[in-house]
Amino acid sequence: MVIKKKQKSLPHKKYKPKLAVFKFASCDGCQLSLLDCEDELLAVTGEIEIAHFLEASRRVLDGPYDLSLVEGSITTPHDAKRIRDVRKISRTLVTIGACATAGGIQALRNFKDVKEFVSLVYARPQYISTLATSTPIVEHVPVDFELRGCPINKSQLVETISAFLQGRKPQTPTSSVCMECKRRGTVCVMVAQQMACMGPVTQDGCGAICPAYNRGCYGCFGPKETTNTESLAKWFLEMGMKKEEVMRTFRGFNGYAPEFRQESERQEMG
Amino acid sequence: MKSKTIKVNHLARVEGEGALDIKIQGKKLKDVKLRIYEPPRFFEAFLRGRDFREVPDITARICGICPIAYELGASYAMEDICGIKVEGQLRALRRLIYNGEWIESHVLHVYMLHAPDFLGYQDAILMAKDYPEVVKRGLRMKKIGNEVLALLGGREIHPVNLCIGGFYQVPAKQKLRTLLDNLKWGRDAALETVTWVAQFPYEDLNVDYEFVAMRHPDEYAVIEGRLVSNKGMDIPIRGI
């Protein structure tokens, strides 16, 4: 009799994978993308247990976590250690955004002297603990998937979480912003208006919004695969841009991504 | 006397990162320390040498929750240097997109960050189990703020359409009209929110604070105004 009762009171409970969100040096924008999924949020939490997401909840469940989303770059000795701890308790680790994937805008320090930066910004530099560089997560620990963008696109985030739940690879395009402009029917701002546009060397994912709003792409999704940055730089120079301007154009939110970094250094050298 | 220390190593549901140490002796509060451990990012330093037109997009990245504040702040600073003033419909559109950010960010704050504390939940998702309609109302309001941002700015976070002098492209009237019905619903929802929040239990606490806010003679001070306080401070923000 007792056994029967026990069986009744234990219905099959679906295991909900544990999701964790971790923040390093960043602006909070990429993790906000998850809360910006207003229509999907309650449905997502039906499938996934939000186990560690300090911006949204003070409930913290212990690891290991099935899926960890990591925002931000590594800029302090403390964070360089913390990311290794995060990796240890994460079955799958996905970086979200340009900071975690390429070092972010704060990686502009990598081209300069950080000591000068500290003394310029802070009245009491002795309180500041910082590394000389801002580096992407992949320079510290193995990463399972990188989601691009400054900020990430929330549809791509939902796709990535769904793909993880179904055990498949996320379907995110690796083509250039140019392809999306053609699909949208946006007239090329570089051909028609001689605007500097990073579209040809930048990975799509934003939906090619900048040219649709009458400005050149500024590369916030980082380099597409097999880019020809040298050719685009040549075009920029032929349009009348100075070398220094071309250098700056490549040295933005993804300026430390290898392809963009090499091109900006090429322009800087001469 | 018995003393007690409360250590919160990671504050949750705040915009940013911090920790809080509280020391209590007997029934008296002895010490409170708020530690902000966000790593420094050095915007002031790496902005040197950039083209002035690049600045608003860069400063936006200070905060992904309120990028318009930084885009507009940087634009005003550059416009002051250039000696230009953005007025008329462009100013109205700037005010509109900033209001979109206020709606998005403040609804996030009220519904998802603060309300769970008042009602005794760990987060808004758990709160939704008992208050599904309230949380859904909040999410819809938040979405409407994001729609304003996306329509005028191209996207919700780090919008791309703002520049020194105004906008890269002004929206078509017809497109702006599509916001109307939702915004009308949102006005009623905002009033319901005030009624709801007014019922929260607040401690009867009076502290001698100096409250600081922006003030504008003709409008609710969102994009322009002077910095004033309840103790007589009154200083201009621009053109010092």
Side-chain angles (χ1 to χ4, degrees):
Chain A
M1 288 303 283
V2 176
I3 291 165
K4 209 175 178 184
K5 198 180 169 192
K6 233 184 183 175
Q7 280 173 336
K8 244 188 179 175
S9 66
L10 275 176
H12 173 68
K13 206 179 171 200
K14 195 173 81 176
Y15 174 75
K16 284 211 248 172
K18 282 184 181 171
L19 173 80
V21 181
F22 295 97
K23 176 181 153 54
F24 291 84
S26 64
C27 79
D28 270 307
C30 290
Q31 48 177 318
L32 178 66
S33 300
L34 190 54
L35 298 178
D36 271 357
C37 299
E38 291 97 358
D39 292 335
E40 300 88 357
L41 188 65
L42 295 177
V44 166
T45 56
E47 299 295 322
I48 259 187
E49 192 81 64
I50 295 186
H52 183 287
F53 185 8
L54 290 174
E55 187 172 296
S57 179
R58 68 182 166 85
R59 188 175 72 135
V60 175
L61 304 179
D62 286 338
Y65 306 110
D66 295 288
L67 174 62
S68 288
L69 302 174
V70 174
E71 174 192 277
S73 64
I74 304 302
T75 62
T76 65
H78 176 252
D79 278 354
K81 185 191 170 298
R82 189 161 64 97
I83 188 61
R84 289 198 293 274
D85 296 337
V86 167
R87 178 68 263 193
K88 274 183 209 152
I89 51 168
S90 306
R91 292 207 171 91
T92 307
L93 190 153
V94 173
T95 60
I96 52 169
C99 296
T101 304
I105 193 70
Q106 60 272 17
L108 289 180
R109 83 179 68 175
N110 301 4
F111 304 95
K112 298 275 163 80
D113 172 19
V114 80
K115 275 190 199 137
E116 193 234 346
F117 274 26
V118 178
S119 64
L120 191 92
V121 177
Y122 293 95
R124 304 235 175 148
Q126 66 268 31
Y127 292 148
I128 302 301
S129 161
T130 188
L131 294 169
T133 52
S134 165
T135 42
I137 302 303
V138 75
E139 284 196 20
H140 300 264
V141 294
V143 169
D144 296 296
F145 188 71
E146 292 179 325
L147 203 50
R148 300 284 196 84
C150 182
I152 54 168
N153 175 306
K154 66 180 178 183
S155 314
Q156 288 200 345
L157 178 64
V158 172
E159 160 61 15
T160 303
I161 295 173
S162 315
F164 162 75
L165 281 173
Q166 294 155 9
R168 60 173 173 82
K169 189 174 179 279
Q171 291 184 341
T172 50
T174 51
S175 50
S176 70
V177 170
C178 291
M179 297 287 282
E180 185 58 23
C181 267
K182 301 295 169 287
R183 280 193 288 263
R184 278 184 78 137
T186 305
V187 175
C188 179
V189 293
M190 195 154 142
V191 171
Q193 300 187 61
Q194 297 282 295
M195 285 181 191
C197 181
M198 289 284 278
V201 296
T202 300
Q203 183 171 302
D204 180 27
C206 60
I209 39 181
C210 284
Y213 277 79
N214 202 32
R215 68 179 293 192
C217 159
Y218 58 81
C220 74
F221 270 64
K224 74 175 270 286
E225 55 183 18
T226 62
T227 52
N228 190 348
T229 55
E230 210 172 346
S231 169
L232 185 66
K234 220 179 265 172
W235 274 103
F236 286 166
L237 292 167
E238 276 176 31
M239 279 161 51
M241 281 169 77
K242 291 185 191 119
K243 266 184 172 287
E244 201 203 315
E245 289 173 278
V246 179
M247 185 264 286
R248 269 203 321 265
T249 307
F250 280 93
R251 203 168 279 180
F253 305 105
N254 285 281
Y256 197 61
E259 296 87 339
F260 288 1
R261 180 172 75 213
Q262 280 152 20
E263 193 52 51
S264 77
E265 279 166 350
R266 201 162 18 229
Q267 298 301 321
E268 199 171 33
M269 295 302 163
Chain B
M1 239 190 291
K2 244 184 152 179
S3 69
K4 194 176 155 191
T5 307
I6 302 170
K7 265 183 178 279
V8 187
N9 289 328
H10 308 281
L11 289 170
R13 283 188 281 109
V14 290
E15 299 180 11
E17 289 185 301
L20 191 68
D21 301 337
I22 303 169
K23 271 188 197 152
I24 303 162
Q25 202 157 45
K27 284 192 168 180
K28 281 235 158 165
L29 187 65
K30 285 300 275 186
D31 195 24
V32 177
K33 267 200 190 100
L34 176 69
R35 287 181 281 130
I36 309 287
Y37 53 85
E38 288 260 359
R41 293 167 70 212
F42 307 112
F43 280 83
E44 300 91 329
F46 61 63
L47 275 169
R48 293 171 308 161
R50 302 299 301 204
D51 188 288
F52 73 104
R53 288 164 297 191
E54 296 174 327
V55 177
D57 286 324
I58 295 178
T59 54
R61 270 67 182 183
I62 294 171
C63 176
I65 301 171
C66 53
I68 299 287
Y70 294 101
E71 289 191 22
L72 277 182
S75 298
Y76 281 141
M78 298 301 149
E79 285 158 11
D80 281 352
I81 294 169
C82 299
I84 53 171
K85 238 179 132 50
V86 176
E87 282 169 327
Q89 293 195 359
L90 285 175
R91 184 183 187 278
L93 284 172
R94 277 183 163 179
R95 200 173 148 82
L96 180 62
I97 192 170
Y98 203 177
N99 279 328
E101 178 164 291
W102 272 45
I103 295 168
E104 190 282 321
S105 157
H106 289 204
V107 171
L108 173 82
H109 212 98
V110 172
Y111 278 82
M112 307 187 79
L113 306 188
H114 268 182
D117 278 335
F118 284 99
L119 301 176
Y121 296 90
Q122 288 168 312
D123 57 49
I125 293 152
L126 293 168
M127 194 172 89
K129 286 185 179 138
D130 295 331
Y131 296 91
E133 294 313 313
V134 169
V135 174
K136 276 184 201 153
R137 179 177 69 205
L139 286 171
R140 185 167 169 201
M141 289 170 77
K142 185 172 170 304
K143 192 182 172 192
I144 293 168
N146 269 334
E147 279 169 2
V148 175
L149 280 162
L151 193 148
L152 275 165
R155 63 181 170 198
E156 301 88 344
I157 301 166
H158 303 323
V160 300
N161 193 26
L162 277 79
C163 62
I164 291 158
F167 292 83
Y168 286 98
Q169 189 183 61
V170 290
K173 218 180 221 177
Q174 221 175 348
K175 272 196 174 172
L176 280 175
R177 279 220 180 89
T178 61
L179 296 170
L180 256 184
D181 285 345
N182 272 339
L183 286 173
K184 279 181 185 157
W185 175 89
R187 189 175 49 191
D188 293 338
L191 286 170
E192 285 168 28
T193 302
V194 172
T195 314
W196 174 60
V197 169
Q199 294 162 13
F200 286 177
Y202 285 94
E203 289 296 320
D204 190 21
L205 181 71
N206 270 311
V207 183
D208 187 27
Y209 281 131
E210 179 165 14
F211 290 103
V212 177
M214 282 228 294
R215 185 163 66 196
H216 190 281
D218 309 317
E219 60 188 28
Y220 192 67
V222 175
I223 59 170
E224 274 178 300
R226 290 173 72 86
L227 206 55
V228 298
S229 82
N230 60 331
K231 294 198 173 171
M233 186 183 82
D234 185 354
I235 52 172
I237 294 174
R238 298 173 67 185
I240 302 168

